[in-house]
Amino acid sequence: MSDFLLWESAYAELIFSKRMWPDFTPADLRAAVNEYHHRDRRFGGAPAIGVPEQPVAVSERWLR
């Protein structure tokens, strides 16, 4: 990545796949989105201690 891209992607969430772009399938996209949904986002803060996480309903209708 160039210096500019590193600066712009400071808070971006990147997913790296071993699959090359021409071979990328809807299943690969689904796996990437699933990985993204399971990440712990704190937005610079520390994790809350003793506070249970609430599940978030996610619709994957657009992936089908």
Side-chain angles (χ1 to χ4, degrees), residues 4-21:
F4 176 75
L5 189 55
L6 286 174
W7 180 265
E8 291 297 312
S9 63
Y11 292 103
E13 301 218 8
L14 304 175
I15 295 176
F16 296 94
S17 172
K18 293 183 186 251
R19 179 90 41 143
M20 296 295 190
W21 178 248

Side-chain angles (χ1 to χ4, degrees), residues 27-44:
D28 295 320
L29 176 61
R30 193 173 297 114
V33 171
N34 192 30
E35 163 67 26
Y36 175 77
H37 282 299
H38 287 93
R39 291 191 177 183
D40 179 27
R41 285 171 206 80
R42 294 177 293 211
F43 304 104

Side-chain angles (χ1 to χ4, degrees), residues 40-59:
D40 179 27
R41 285 171 206 80
R42 294 177 293 211
F43 304 104
I49 299 174
V51 177
E53 293 185 28
Q54 297 185 5
V56 177
V58 177
S59 173

